[in-house]
Structure formats: structure tokens, C-alpha cells
Amino acid sequence: MRKLSVIICCYNERKTIADVIKRTQSVELGPEWSREILVIDNFSTDGTREILQQIDDPEINTFFHERNMGKGMSIRTGITHMTGDYMIIQDADSEYDPAEHVKFCRKVEETNAAAIFGSRVLGGDVKYEYAHAYLGVRFLTTMTNLLFGGNLTDVATATKMVRRDVVQSLNLTTTDFNLDFELPDKILLSGHEILEIPISYDPRTYAEGKKITSMDGIRALITMFKDRLGFTPVLKPAVAKAVQNSNQHQADPGS
């Protein structure tokens, strides 16, 4: 039996948060899977927090940041508190369909992969509201592959699934949208492969609440170069020390 931790990060998503949670709970993952849902509110001011405060469900754990700390920090809160074998990031808007979680679970059963990303490009049905968003993702994906030896088609996808031992070993430091890039950077730098599966995507406009901008793309590129140059360690200190000790023991088993 495997357990999936669904991390839902929200900031001012009053119109969609209840529906996304309901749709997530309605997904039948299969007999070999159980699920927990971790909802992290990033100091919403539109009534989202009040909706979440009314939830009384043993499958759902809610966390409330006392100030706006960024989406990346919300994901890190979820990673810290997850108890599942895998975590998957589910956006709180309507762009990504929770029904796709089943496909990720089937891929895990086939491969036991360290990481699986949902690609909005694979399958040929590419949907973007803005040309700059499409071109920016193509550029950032190419840079990720060049800098970190990946073979990705959509590095900026929100739907990322990672095995717990892998994601909790990483020294994640960013707090904003840059975590979407720091995460794959450090998965690849730590020697793990990232698989991809095609997913559907229903992009929203800025008028509908889309938050990411071109400046976030520039920040993402800076994050990539920092990670490539080793500005922050790839692994948490305790994990890095354990790996070092293991390598020394393998090199000198008689010591």
C-alpha cells in the first residue's frame, strides 16, 4: 500500500478552492493507494481562509501562514508535514485537473520513479493564453536540460510528483515561484531521473487570477544559474553527511 500526499497551495482562491478539494477527494487512486490532502493557505485575504477553517475531514490537513511567504514556501510547508510515500503538487485554481493524479499513480506502479512531472506539451494538445508564457517555458526548459542534463519538455509545469525520500532530502531554499525550478534542478543534481507524462491544461488569464509574470521567468533563470554554480547545497546537511560517510565506507570497507 502506497500513500499519496496531495499538496494544495492557495492564495486568494475563494472561487475555486472548495471545488478543487472536492474534485481531489473524488479521485479513485486505486486499491493500492491511500491519500492525504495538505492545504496551505498563504495568508489569503479574500475569504479563502474562512472557507478552509470550516473543513472538518480526517483526510484533509490545513495550514495557515501568518503572512504571505510565497508559493514556494507553501510547498515547502507541505513537504515538511507530508506522511505519504509520494507528494504531488495540485494548484488551487482550475488550470490543472486532479483527475490526472491516477495517471501519476499508475506510472509509479510501473517504474517506482523518483520524480514524475506532468507535461503540458506531450501529446500535442498545447494550450497557452499568452505567447510570452509559451516561449518562456520553452526557453527555461531548454536551459534546464542544458545546465542539469535533463530530458524535460515542460519544466514549469505545476503538477510535480516526487518520492518522499527524495524531496525531503533536498536543500530547498526558495520561497516564491522559483521553487518550480529549484526542485527539478536539485532532483537532477542529486542524480535522480525525472520522468514525464502528458497532462491536460486549461490556462486562465490575468483577469481570471493568473499570478505568474515575465519577471518570474527572469528570477527562475537566476535560480538555475545559482543552482548550477552551487550557491546553495543540493542536499540537506545531515543527508549530505550520510551520503559522504556511505561513499567512504564503500571506498574502504575494511575501515
Side-chain angles (χ1 to χ4, degrees):
M1 175 70 72
R2 293 184 176 96
K3 184 177 182 179
L4 179 65
S5 298
V6 183
I7 298 176
I8 302 177
C9 305
C10 57
Y11 173 66
N12 288 349
E13 300 289 0
R14 175 178 56 84
K15 294 180 180 179
T16 57
I17 184 61
D19 180 62
V20 168
I21 293 173
K22 180 180 178 181
R23 288 164 59 200
T24 298
Q25 283 195 291
S26 70
V27 177
E28 294 290 339
L29 300 176
E32 300 301 318
W33 290 83
S34 63
R35 173 179 52 221
E36 66 175 354
I37 300 173
L38 300 92
V39 186
I40 300 90
D41 180 79
N42 194 29
F43 202 61
S44 295
T45 57
D46 69 338
T48 300
R49 290 171 80 88
E50 289 72 18
I51 293 172
L52 296 176
Q53 287 166 351
Q54 296 174 20
I55 294 176
D56 183 14
D57 189 312
E59 189 180 53
I60 303 172
N61 295 308
T62 53
F63 303 86
F64 300 95
H65 286 175
E66 295 305 315
R67 58 185 176 87
N68 190 313
M69 303 171 70
K71 181 184 178 182
M73 194 67 231
S74 295
I75 294 172
R76 287 168 57 187
T77 296
I79 291 170
T80 297
H81 292 280
M82 66 178 285
T83 62
D85 301 286
Y86 281 84
M87 72 92 179
I88 191 167
I89 301 168
Q90 172 63 51
D91 271 7
D93 55 34
S94 57
E95 290 188 320
Y96 296 86
D97 188 355
E100 308 266 25
H101 296 177
V102 176
K103 295 163 62 175
F104 286 83
C105 292
R106 297 294 85 78
K107 194 68 173 179
V108 165
E109 292 169 0
E110 295 170 6
T111 64
N112 196 38
I116 304 169
F117 287 10
S119 172
R120 298 165 291 179
V121 176
L122 291 176
D125 186 19
V126 182
K127 295 179 181 178
Y128 280 85
E129 284 288 344
Y130 304 102
H132 72 266
Y134 173 77
L135 294 173
V137 170
R138 301 278 63 73
F139 174 71
L140 292 171
T141 299
T142 298
M143 291 302 298
T144 298
N145 292 336
L146 288 173
L147 291 172
F148 303 100
N151 191 30
L152 301 174
T153 64
D154 186 8
V155 70
T157 180
T159 310
K160 294 176 166 73
M161 185 183 200
V162 190
R163 207 170 62 222
R164 182 175 64 180
D165 64 306
V166 175
V167 73
Q168 290 188 339
S169 73
L170 301 177
N171 180 48
L172 300 174
T173 62
T174 53
T175 60
D176 50 13
F177 288 112
N178 287 344
L179 194 87
D180 268 334
F181 302 91
E182 184 186 23
L183 181 59
D185 293 352
K186 291 185 174 177
I187 290 172
L188 293 169
L189 284 172
S190 63
H192 296 288
E193 182 183 7
I194 301 173
L195 306 183
E196 288 184 310
I197 60 173
I199 60 170
S200 59
Y201 179 56
D202 184 18
R204 61 178 177 173
T205 64
Y206 289 113
E208 293 171 320
K210 191 174 185 68
K211 300 177 180 70
I212 196 165
T213 68
S214 299
M215 281 303 300
D216 291 301
I218 295 173
R219 295 186 189 100
L221 189 61
I222 293 172
T223 294
M224 288 182 191
F225 282 116
K226 285 184 175 180
D227 290 340
R228 181 66 273 178
L229 294 172
F231 275 62
T232 61
V234 174
L235 301 175
K236 292 177 179 177
V239 177
K241 184 176 182 179
V243 171
Q244 183 182 29
N245 290 340
S246 176
N247 290 340
Q248 289 176 345
H249 179 72
Q250 290 176 9
D252 187 12
S255 62

Coordinates of all heavy atoms in Angstrom, one line a residue, residues 13 16-17 19-20 23 90-98 200-204 208:
E13 N -7.9 32.2 -3.5 CA -8.6 31.3 -4.5 C -10.0 31.0 -3.9 O -10.5 29.8 -4.0 CB -7.8 30.1 -4.7 CG -6.4 30.3 -5.2 CD -6.4 30.7 -6.7 OE1 -7.5 30.9 -7.3 OE2 -5.3 30.9 -7.2
T16 N -12.4 29.0 -6.3 CA -12.1 27.6 -6.8 C -11.7 26.6 -5.7 O -11.7 25.4 -6.0 CB -11.0 27.7 -7.8 OG1 -9.9 28.3 -7.3 CG2 -11.5 28.5 -9.0
I17 N -11.2 27.1 -4.5 CA -10.6 26.2 -3.6 C -11.5 25.0 -3.2 O -11.0 23.8 -3.1 CB -10.0 26.9 -2.4 CG1 -9.2 26.0 -1.4 CG2 -11.1 27.7 -1.6 CD1 -8.0 25.4 -2.1
D19 N -14.0 23.6 -4.7 CA -14.2 22.7 -5.8 C -13.0 21.8 -6.1 O -13.1 20.6 -6.3 CB -14.6 23.5 -7.1 CG -14.8 22.6 -8.3 OD1 -15.8 21.8 -8.2 OD2 -14.1 22.7 -9.3
V20 N -11.8 22.5 -6.0 CA -10.5 21.7 -6.2 C -10.4 20.6 -5.2 O -10.0 19.5 -5.5 CB -9.3 22.6 -6.3 CG1 -8.0 21.9 -6.2 CG2 -9.4 23.5 -7.5
R23 N -12.9 17.9 -5.9 CA -12.5 17.1 -7.1 C -11.3 16.2 -6.7 O -11.2 15.0 -7.2 CB -12.2 18.0 -8.2 CG -13.5 18.6 -8.9 CD -13.1 19.8 -9.7 NE -12.2 19.4 -10.8 CZ -11.5 20.3 -11.5 NH1 -11.4 21.6 -11.2 NH2 -10.7 19.9 -12.5
Q90 N -0.8 20.1 -6.4 CA -2.0 20.4 -7.1 C -2.4 21.9 -6.9 O -2.6 22.4 -5.8 CB -3.2 19.6 -6.5 CG -4.6 19.9 -7.0 CD -4.7 19.7 -8.5 OE1 -4.4 18.7 -9.1 NE2 -5.2 20.7 -9.2
D91 N -2.4 22.7 -8.0 CA -2.8 24.1 -7.9 C -4.2 24.2 -7.4 O -5.1 23.4 -7.7 CB -2.6 24.8 -9.2 CG -1.1 25.3 -9.4 OD1 -0.3 25.0 -8.5 OD2 -0.9 26.0 -10.3
A92 N -4.5 25.4 -6.8 CA -5.8 25.6 -6.2 C -6.8 26.3 -7.2 O -7.9 26.5 -6.9 CB -5.7 26.5 -5.0
D93 N -6.3 26.5 -8.4 CA -7.2 27.1 -9.5 C -7.7 26.0 -10.4 O -7.6 24.8 -10.0 CB -6.5 28.2 -10.2 CG -5.2 27.7 -10.9 OD1 -5.2 26.5 -11.3 OD2 -4.3 28.5 -11.0
S94 N -8.3 26.3 -11.5 CA -8.9 25.3 -12.4 C -8.0 24.9 -13.6 O -8.5 24.3 -14.5 CB -10.2 25.8 -12.9 OG -10.0 27.1 -13.6
E95 N -6.7 25.3 -13.5 CA -5.8 25.1 -14.7 C -5.5 23.6 -14.8 O -5.3 23.1 -15.9 CB -4.6 25.9 -14.6 CG -4.8 27.4 -14.8 CD -3.5 28.2 -14.9 OE1 -2.6 27.9 -14.2 OE2 -3.5 29.1 -15.8
Y96 N -5.3 22.9 -13.7 CA -4.8 21.5 -13.7 C -5.9 20.6 -13.1 O -6.5 21.0 -12.0 CB -3.5 21.4 -12.9 CG -2.4 22.1 -13.5 CD1 -2.1 23.5 -13.2 CD2 -1.5 21.5 -14.3 CE1 -1.0 24.1 -13.7 CE2 -0.4 22.1 -14.8 CZ -0.2 23.5 -14.5 OH 0.9 24.1 -15.1
D97 N -6.2 19.5 -13.7 CA -7.3 18.6 -13.3 C -6.8 17.6 -12.3 O -5.9 16.7 -12.6 CB -7.8 17.9 -14.5 CG -9.1 17.2 -14.3 OD1 -9.5 17.1 -13.1 OD2 -9.7 16.7 -15.2
P98 N -7.3 17.5 -11.1 CA -6.9 16.5 -10.1 C -7.2 15.0 -10.6 O -6.5 14.1 -10.1 CB -7.8 16.8 -8.9 CG -8.2 18.2 -9.0 CD -8.3 18.4 -10.5
S200 N -3.5 17.3 -19.2 CA -4.3 18.4 -19.8 C -4.0 19.7 -19.1 O -3.5 19.7 -17.9 CB -5.8 18.0 -19.7 OG -6.2 17.9 -18.3
Y201 N -4.4 20.8 -19.7 CA -4.1 22.1 -19.1 C -5.2 23.1 -19.6 O -5.4 23.2 -20.8 CB -2.7 22.5 -19.5 CG -2.3 23.9 -19.1 CD1 -2.3 24.2 -17.7 CD2 -1.8 24.9 -19.9 CE1 -1.9 25.4 -17.2 CE2 -1.4 26.1 -19.5 CZ -1.4 26.4 -18.1 OH -1.0 27.6 -17.7
D202 N -5.8 23.8 -18.7 CA -6.8 24.8 -19.1 C -6.3 26.2 -18.5 O -6.7 26.6 -17.4 CB -8.1 24.4 -18.5 CG -9.3 25.3 -18.9 OD1 -9.1 26.1 -19.9 OD2 -10.3 25.3 -18.3
P203 N -5.5 26.9 -19.3 CA -4.9 28.1 -18.8 C -5.9 29.2 -18.5 O -6.9 29.4 -19.2 CB -3.9 28.5 -19.9 CG -4.5 28.0 -21.1 CD -5.1 26.7 -20.7
R204 N -5.7 30.0 -17.4 CA -6.5 31.1 -17.2 C -5.8 32.4 -17.5 O -4.5 32.4 -17.6 CB -7.0 31.1 -15.7 CG -5.9 31.2 -14.7 CD -6.5 31.2 -13.3 NE -5.4 31.2 -12.2 CZ -5.7 31.4 -10.9 NH1 -6.9 31.6 -10.5 NH2 -4.7 31.4 -10.0
E208 N -8.6 36.5 -14.8 CA -9.2 35.4 -14.0 C -8.4 35.0 -12.8 O -8.8 34.1 -12.1 CB -9.3 34.2 -15.0 CG -10.3 34.4 -16.1 CD -10.3 33.2 -17.1 OE1 -9.2 32.7 -17.4 OE2 -11.4 32.8 -17.6

